[in-house]
Amino acid sequence: EPYIPLTPLEPAEPYIPLTPLEPAEPVEEVKEYTLTAGEEVEGLTKAKDNGKYDKGIEITFTVKEEAGKTVKVEKVVNGKTEELTAKDGEYSFKLEADTTIKVTYEDIQYTVTTEAEEGAIQGLENGSKHNAGTDLSFTVEEKAGKTVKVEKVVNGKTEELTAKDGEYSFKLEADTTIKVTYEDIDYTLTVEDPENGVTNLTPAKENNKYNEGTEISFTIKVAGKKAKVEKIVGGKSTTLTKGEDGKYSFKMTSDTTIEVTYEDVEQYTLRKDDLENGIKNLTIEDAEGNKYNAGSKISFTVEDKPGKVANVRTVIGNLLDSAGEQKGIKATVIKKGPDG
């Protein structure tokens, strides 16, 4: 073969070693989880078309409120329960596994406290608990001569309750205290007595005031005068008469005026002829010295003396007339009464 000369080779490039490639990151498969919730849950984050949620998604929702009840919201994951707390009425959490939203309702209960005398409140127990919104009713004992005041105290605010047909009622919407207090019913007694003859008047509380039902009694003593006593209530006048004990009396049921008027009466002298000084407890009513108003009731006792019998009689008239002779004398033997 004919000779073909070779073309000389170009000098080779220096050897450069190759850098090995980094292994590629594995492509992580997106996980999906199931979220279970009841009808109480509203506004729940929308699931994918297959009804599931991607891992890590933020779940938000609200819960229906029920009047008179508290709501408890829990997240249950792999049998473990965690209570959720709402912020501005909305609950939220990050989905990291199959999850159940559990909602339970419990009745709201409030406590009723009573502040009253024992037995004053009927139908309402101190310290009792009741569901929110419960209508409660009770009665309160009435006391003679006193007014009753019933108050409801809630969160430091006081409201006075009024009875209807003898019964008090209210709707329980918070912890509540029922306070019952009694106050005396007071009436004013005015005495109109120009001769200032009224004595031994039942003492007043203050400013001539007496509790309703107070028994008022008094005596009147003006020498040479006969008293007429009128009790005036609401413009209506009633004449009072003296009792056997010498007192006028009545029961205080309203503002009252006692009006006393006087007329002159004859007076007579009462003298004692008692050498043994056995007369005791002689009536001094209407007496001025030894003078008594005509018509005065006289009473006395006679002390027993050993070995003696008392002979008691009244002698009416002038023992001696102007000429020194007895005149117009009438003597009457007096027997001891049952009271001695």
Side-chain angles (χ1 to χ4, degrees):
E1 294 287 332
Y3 170 72
I4 300 172
L6 295 175
T7 303
L9 296 172
E10 294 290 331
E13 295 288 331
Y15 172 73
I16 301 174
L18 296 175
T19 302
L21 296 174
E22 294 289 332
E25 291 288 334
V27 177
E28 184 177 358
E29 181 181 354
V30 176
K31 292 186 177 180
E32 296 177 325
Y33 294 116
T34 300
L35 181 61
T36 305
E39 293 181 356
E40 306 89 350
V41 174
E42 297 179 328
L44 185 64
T45 302
K46 189 176 181 181
K48 297 165 65 175
D49 290 342
N50 62 0
K52 295 189 176 185
Y53 296 83
D54 290 339
K55 177 183 178 180
I57 191 171
E58 186 79 13
I59 302 296
T60 61
F61 61 97
T62 59
V63 171
K64 292 179 182 178
E65 298 289 339
E66 289 195 14
K69 294 182 182 291
T70 57
V71 62
K72 185 177 183 181
V73 179
E74 297 171 301
K75 178 182 71 170
V76 184
V77 179
N78 296 324
K80 293 183 178 181
T81 301
E82 175 189 348
E83 187 169 354
L84 300 178
T85 303
K87 184 177 180 181
D88 297 329
E90 187 176 69
Y91 297 86
S92 65
F93 64 91
K94 191 169 288 187
L95 191 66
E96 302 290 349
D98 290 339
T99 301
T100 298
I101 297 173
K102 183 181 178 183
V103 179
T104 53
Y105 295 93
E106 295 179 358
D107 290 329
I108 298 174
Q109 288 200 319
Y110 295 118
T111 302
V112 176
T113 304
T114 60
E115 294 181 5
E117 296 178 11
E118 185 176 355
I121 298 177
Q122 294 90 40
L124 194 61
E125 185 178 351
N126 182 34
S128 58
K129 293 182 178 294
H130 307 269
N131 291 346
T134 301
D135 290 316
L136 297 176
S137 60
F138 60 97
T139 58
V140 172
E141 179 186 18
E142 298 289 340
K143 293 192 175 185
K146 294 182 180 291
T147 58
V148 62
K149 186 176 184 180
V150 180
E151 297 172 301
K152 179 183 73 169
V153 184
V154 179
N155 297 325
K157 293 184 178 180
T158 301
E159 175 190 351
E160 187 168 353
L161 298 180
T162 303
K164 185 177 181 180
D165 297 328
E167 191 172 67
Y168 298 85
S169 61
F170 66 97
K171 187 182 291 289
L172 188 64
E173 297 173 320
D175 289 338
T176 300
T177 297
I178 299 298
K179 295 175 64 175
V180 176
T181 53
Y182 293 93
E183 296 178 359
D184 291 333
I185 300 174
D186 289 339
Y187 296 119
T188 301
L189 178 63
T190 303
V191 178
E192 297 180 357
D193 178 13
E195 299 285 346
N196 296 317
V198 172
T199 59
N200 303 314
L201 178 64
T202 301
K205 291 172 59 178
E206 57 180 359
N207 300 323
N208 300 323
K209 290 189 177 295
Y210 295 83
N211 291 355
E212 183 183 54
T214 299
E215 194 72 31
I216 305 296
S217 66
F218 57 94
T219 57
I220 295 178
K221 179 182 177 181
V222 176
K225 303 279 186 181
K226 180 180 180 182
K228 181 182 181 182
V229 182
E230 299 285 331
K231 180 184 76 168
I232 304 171
V233 177
K236 185 177 180 181
S237 180
T238 304
T239 300
L240 296 180
T241 55
K242 191 186 305 183
E244 292 186 2
D245 58 358
K247 296 180 180 180
Y248 299 87
S249 62
F250 65 94
K251 188 171 289 187
M252 201 73 171
T253 58
S254 185
D255 290 338
T256 301
T257 297
I258 295 300
E259 184 181 82
V260 185
T261 56
Y262 298 89
E263 61 182 49
D264 293 332
V265 294
E266 222 176 332
Q267 284 193 307
Y268 297 108
T269 301
L270 177 66
R271 290 181 292 212
K272 296 183 292 181
D273 182 8
D274 179 15
L275 299 178
E276 298 285 343
N277 293 317
I279 293 177
K280 307 293 181 184
N281 305 311
L282 179 64
T283 300
I284 60 172
E285 181 189 356
D286 294 337
E288 184 180 21
N290 63 344
K291 290 184 178 291
Y292 289 80
N293 290 352
S296 295
K297 181 180 179 181
I298 307 298
S299 67
F300 58 92
T301 59
V302 176
E303 186 179 28
D304 290 333
K305 301 283 184 178
K308 294 181 182 289
V309 176
N311 182 19
V312 183
R313 62 178 181 167
T314 59
V315 179
I316 300 175
N318 295 318
L319 294 180
L320 297 175
D321 62 12
S322 58
E325 298 179 357
Q326 292 182 337
K327 184 178 181 181
I329 295 174
K330 180 181 180 182
T332 305
V333 175
I334 300 176
K335 294 183 179 180
K336 188 187 300 184
D339 58 357

